[in-house]
Amino acid sequence: MAQPFAKKDDDRDEEAEYSPFLGIEKGAVLQEARVFHDPQLDPRRCSQVITKLLYLLNQGETFTKVEATEVFFAVTKLFQSRDIGLRRMVYLMIKEISPSSDEVIMVTSSLMKDMTSRTDVYRANAIRVLCQITDGTLLGQIERYLKQAIVDKNPVVASAALVSGIHILQTNPEIVKRWSNEVQEAVQSRAALVQFHALALLHQIRQNDRLAVSKLVTSLTRGTVRSPLAQCLLVRYASQVIRESANNFQTGERPFYDYLESCLRHKSEMVILEAARAITELSGVTNRELTPAITVLQLFLSSSKPVLRFAAVRTLNKVAMTHPMAVTNCNIDMESLISDQNRSIATLAITTLLKTGNESSVDRLMKQITNFMSDIADEFKIVVVEAIRSLCIKFPLKYRSLMNFLSNILREEGGFEYKKAIVDSIVILIRDIQEAKEIGLLHLCEFIEDCEFTYLSTQILHFLGIEGPKTADPSKFIRYIYNRVHLENATVRACAVTTLAKFGATVDSLKPRIIVLLRRCLFDSDDEVRDRATLYLNTLGADGSVAETDNDVKEFLFDSLDIPLVNLETSLRNYEPSDQPFDINSVPKEIKAQPLAEKKAPGKKPIGLGAPPTAPSAAVDAYDKLLSSIPEFASYGKLFKSSAPVELTEAETEYAVNVVKHIFDHHVLFQYNCTNTIPEQLLENVTVVVDASEAEEFSEVASKPLKSLPYDSPGQTFVAFEKTDGVPAVGKFSNVLKFIVKEVDPTTGEAEEDGVEDEYQLEDLEVVAADYMQKVGVSNFRNAWESMDPEGERVDEYGLGSRESLAEAVNAVVNLLGMQPCEGTEAVPSNSRSHTCLLSGVFIGNVKVLVRLSFGISGQNEVAMKLAVRSEDENVSNTIHEIVASG
Amino acid sequence: MELCPSVKNVLLLDSEGNRIAAKYYCDDWPTNSAKEAFEKAVFTKTQKTNARTEAEIAMIENNVVVYKFVQNLHFFVTGGEDENELILATVVQGFSDAVGILLRGQVDKREALENLDLILMCLDEIVDGGIILETDPNVIAGKIASQSLDAGGPLSEQTISQALATAREHLTRSLLK
């Protein structure tokens, strides 16, 4: 026997890294697999070869199709042997190879024989193997055995059948559903795990039938479920039933709460944890309901088992987000966890404490954390920094100690993500807490003296340029900034130059000195730095002619570019050098939804090219050109906005019509895109007759019929309305499509001479307030907001009634206003109870509008909203409120 | 939350982070390199901790990983973010204890590799397709240890050479022990 096992004794001492699989190679092992064909099987040797094959697969080696088939056929030979160990290895190997369906047939009979064998181990394993590799067709044959196995005396066999049932349910539910009776019997089994598997399968069989699930839970919560795992399952099912029946109970006792509470006294910790967690996650949980769960979790906090401490502190951390007061009782236990060996536990404890802490405990906490920070990994530090940031916003009076803490850790070693989190936090504190501004900025200045991250340096310099000049003594920042011009790489130098210019533009007393500094930058080795210095010297008026910095310069330096960079880029690419200089106002400001359409129509008028995705892009191009070439509408002036197409017909009707609303200052133009879907018809003289009786502010002024509409080639007809200048008139229009139908001979494609007049009812069309709003984003909402006159702010509160979720309510308001959500605030984190959404847009008449929406949701899903509007025109602000009030 | 407690993977690594045996039950790590990357992340994050007396726990890539070290063997069980930590702990405890029984207390890398067949069977008996099959170490080990000839096959049916082979095998085994 030349197995590697034989070498065991020689190698043990000399080679620590000895492995029986040292130097193993796939080709050689596949050769060895020939022993499977031996007429005299050596079970031991065969087992070893299979082990080697499994080892290779486990290490990530793959077999080609041919190799796998070969091994599979060889392995099937081994069913001849009666050695249980070898048979087990054969089972493993078959599962690992996962043979194709025609190969499965080769082993089916052997496995079915094992399934009915007297040996329990065979029965259990054969069931699992066969159920894993088989497809639906074979299941019919073995179903009878599986049903028997479910109620087998041997728990191992029963479990094997039940677990296989859970897997098969995913692919062949109708077969497994027939086993209900047997599964139900197994739920009563005395064997713990059989009960667990049976319960899991029974629930999955019934999961779509709420009533049945509810009944199942009701009966089992009264009975005795022995297995802790099954008990955990039952807790989950019970809380699912509670969730789904949330609307049916008003006050009083929550169904199954008593059961959950009784599980808190279960002897198994896993059940206690499951129940405690279920209680904390109940929707609208009351403090009274929470208390017993918090109490058991508190006991877990001082457990000797790290897993238990972790589970408890993690759950409490979540509770602290919604019910910080309920967790305060655990604060003392939590504080002792700060020094926990397991850093995950310590970090969770700290962040929980930061959430539950009150103003007086902040200082003590910071001291504890300082010791802790030095010996944890960056990822944990980031979590702590984020928690401190929210703490500081909660207790603004404590900014001094928190800012100190942040600046201290900023000076210590750390990676980019960690430093970025700290810098972000300081920036937020500076912005939100007036008193913290000066020290915060100085901390940042000190940090860039010795900062290895270009990204952070430039961010801080940019921020300094905005906030620095507003402080009492701006001159003290100049030294820090100018040092950057000497000591840093080109990116940071260029950024420092811009920051200097911003100081020069804002602080007149500093201007002469700044100009001197900028002049020195003219000799920089990098052209971007030189260019910037030259540009700023000119804008600042280095010749001394302008004493006051005029508004244009300030705007240029401080305002963010309100044009999407993509649009600017396409416009510039399109610009052909000529006598006419490039006009930045010609760049569309609308953020285009479809990048595809954007590329097709660069630099065109700001049309919302939201054509239906099915329309060929050539058609999109075509109707874009069409609009600008129609003389009737040329006098309407600059197009303000075009809506996305609104379908006026159901899908798959005879005629497909959608409409695009083009908004001008004085006019509204409807563009009806019609498609004839009947091959036997030709439509002529197609018009849309619009009844504007429900839209009093509009009067029809023109229409442009479509001469002919052959099968499957879209055409457009237009109707124009006049309205009062700049007013966001709204109304409802009913439409009828009128046309002359001519029969077409399908063979020749020729139309008949005579046609019949016909009409076709279309759906109504509404012009809503959102049509008068351009989606124009701002890059820095806060700056934009503050630059608007606060006097013109209009604030009001609205109740939005019962909503499905907070996200749904936010979405509805955003769509109603048709504005651009800024800074990703349209996304509502799940489970949050309140949300702030920032919107920006340009209203008709080119009025910039900013909206700040604050939402809150109550336990009964009642949503309330505070709406604050700032715009360049008070009337527009009022209009926004009217829109929301009427929506 | 996933209603049925489920296990994403069970890993057995050595003290340098090399895979001895691993079983994945979900598609989160579709390729072998993704699996190896996860194992590396798990190993580096846990290697400095002391998980010898009690199982330890960590969050890795939004998964709960419960682990236990015995000699130079590292046992890991991974579950979803919301999984009950104690259920996972029971699985890892069952796994490491069952391996302890199967290797007759000699729990180290060398023994594990030399008895890899037992380890693989052990994995097979603990979790089936992500569903916990058994957590009691004695039951797990019991299912595997009964490796004798099929009781259903009477001795008379064996050929002489088979009987000889069996006898020889028993002899070598007892010599090697």
Side-chain angles (χ1 to χ4, degrees), chain A residues 603-624:
Chain A
K604 288 274 164 52
K605 283 183 182 175
I607 287 176
L609 290 174
T614 49
S617 50
V620 177
D621 246 353
Y623 87 52
D624 195 15

Side-chain angles (χ1 to χ4, degrees), chain A residues 604-638:
Chain A
K604 288 274 164 52
K605 283 183 182 175
I607 287 176
L609 290 174
T614 49
S617 50
V620 177
D621 246 353
Y623 87 52
D624 195 15
K625 278 190 196 122
L626 216 128
L627 188 74
S628 47
S629 66
I630 300 168
E632 285 96 321
F633 310 127
S635 62
Y636 291 173
K638 193 165 179 282

Side-chain angles (χ1 to χ4, degrees), chain A residues 58 128 197 236 274 342, chain B residues 19 56 83-84 124 132:
Chain A
N58 214 295
R128 282 169 53 205
H197 295 132
R236 290 184 189 187
E274 194 69 49
N342 184 321
Chain B
R19 183 192 297 167
E56 276 284 352
E83 199 45 84
N84 185 325
D124 184 59
I132 298 161

